[in-house]
Amino acid sequence: MSSRRSIPSSSTWPRCSSGERQLKPQRITAVEAEDKQRRIAGGLAARGAKRGDRVPFVVPSSVDLLCAVLGALRTGVIPVVLNPALLPHERDELLTDADPAFVVASDEELSGLFDGSPAELAPVPLGRPMHYTSGTSGRPKGVWSGVLDEGAAHALLDDERAVWAFASDDVHLVCSPLFHSAAIRFAAGTLLAGGDVVVLPRFDADDAAAAIASAWPTTAFMAPAHLQRLFALPHLPDLSSFRLLAHAGAPCPAPLKQAALAAFPEGSVWEFYGSTEGQFTVCPPELWEEKPGTVGRARPGRRLSVDDDSVIWCAVPEFARFEYWGDADKTASSWRDGGFTVGDLGRLDDDGCLYLEGRRDDLIISGGVNVYPAEVEGALAGLRGIAELAVFGAPDDRWGQRVCVAVVPDGPVDADSVIEHARRRLTPYKCPKEVYVIDALPRTATGKLRRSAIADQLGLGGEG
């Protein structure tokens, strides 16, 4: 990575105060965060939360939420971080599944936890947050790592530090919502190293540019959709403060990658491939420039393999193991010989560099957020006038992919009614943006749906 720069501090940034909902970016120092973590740990204990308990947080991104996640983990309480935009029935399904000690469902409830007496904290987080990730069945599953002993917990943190070199002079800009695992990993690593963190409550390209100009961040994690929107601005901010711009969450088109390499300081644009379940690779800029399209080599302590069906497997250290909460069968099918898979396909070259040959066939990645067609199709099931339907992703310049639905009619089909039906049942980012009426869905000789061929069949630029 590039050498560190001398970054001016900013005293003009909004600081987070309990009971106050900031719509502007918030900045917090490691010292301020440590105090908040102790107080929220005390508040959780006062509410009866114990080691190994799950406490869901269903609130928007803020430095208070970040400190709550860390304060919980440093006492062995496992935070379950959920998207606050979920519709009530979507949220309630996950809350029931998590079997929580209690739920923090508003900014006011979160603020109240900071009123507790400060509690002692472990030096490092004793686990990972539990995030929910859907599968091809469309049923969300919690990724559960349990509570670690201090040796394993130190190893987990050291694993991140070894790759990203978090340090006390870092200022990290949080661009993704904190219900994303990557957003928490980078922000937490920075605070635990003694650095500052700036949290954007939501990603807006103008707000991100203003934050870069004011806070002079040294690090950030962005999905390709964030980069696309940043580069669409009439004028880019001064990016010279960055030593690290990490990107992941969706395939990054080569022109966008090249634009990032040209705009950010030399040596600063790193890519990685991972999932909520775990991390697979890391790719420094010089490796991508040597081997365009690769997502890098295995992270330290990991071993990659690709089976005869092109499915990618990753063997991980013991501290990086996980299970799917309450789903022993899914857990068993995802692990083999000390390695796990999330079902993605790829190939390894002779130098150990991984190339993705398609994300999970059913997966749509829109703005860095996973959307599973089975869930959307379930919400649309039974609509009159439709014999068959299939939800698919189409390329989109802003979001990476947009959610679409192809329908085979057996009567009149009104596209607006289909979309409105989805909006009543799904979070907005999961809803189809376009409806296409077709004669037949593309299928293999054995009758299996070829979902990845739908966009190409419609002339939307699919991969075929």
Side-chain angles (χ1 to χ4, degrees), residues 328-348:
D329 291 341
K330 174 63 176 174
T331 300
S333 67
S334 299
W335 286 92
R336 184 179 71 189
D337 299 329
F340 76 95
T341 185
V342 292
D344 288 345
L345 308 179
R347 63 180 175 85
L348 288 167

Side-chain angles (χ1 to χ4, degrees), residues 75-252:
T75 58
V77 174
I78 304 300
V80 183
V81 191
L82 300 182
N83 183 351
L86 292 172
L87 298 181
H89 73 275
E90 296 173 307
R91 177 198 63 211
D92 292 347
E93 177 186 355
L94 302 186
L95 294 178
T96 299
D97 183 75
D99 187 22
F102 58 88
V103 179
V104 180
S106 69
D107 283 333
E108 292 72 23
E109 292 177 14
L110 177 59
S111 295
L113 289 175
F114 286 97
D115 296 333
S117 300
E120 290 299 313
L121 301 172
V124 297
L126 301 176
R128 295 192 282 168
M130 187 163 91
H131 295 273
Y132 275 87
T133 181
S134 294
T136 54
S137 67
R139 175 181 171 269
K141 299 173 180 64
V143 178
W144 171 254
S145 300
V147 180
L148 303 176
D149 61 44
E150 284 207 18
H154 276 282
L156 179 65
L157 181 59
D158 290 345
D159 182 58
E160 287 291 296
R161 286 176 172 169
V163 175
W164 306 119
F166 303 122
S168 60
D169 60 350
D170 274 329
V171 177
H172 179 71
L173 178 64
V174 177
C175 296
S176 296
L178 288 171
F179 59 81
H180 285 194
S181 58
I184 290 176
R185 283 171 38 231
F186 280 91
T190 302
L191 287 178
L192 292 168
D196 289 10
V197 168
V198 176
V199 177
L200 296 177
R202 62 182 180 85
F203 187 84
D204 174 88
D206 288 315
D207 289 347
I212 292 169
S214 300
W216 279 49
T218 61
T219 68
F221 163 76
M222 295 188 189
H226 296 149
L227 291 170
Q228 190 83 47
R229 290 154 68 184
L230 187 67
F231 290 151
L233 293 175
H235 302 287
L236 279 176
D238 183 351
L239 302 174
S240 64
S241 62
F242 281 93
R243 70 167 182 86
L244 170 66
L245 184 284
H247 72 87
C252 188

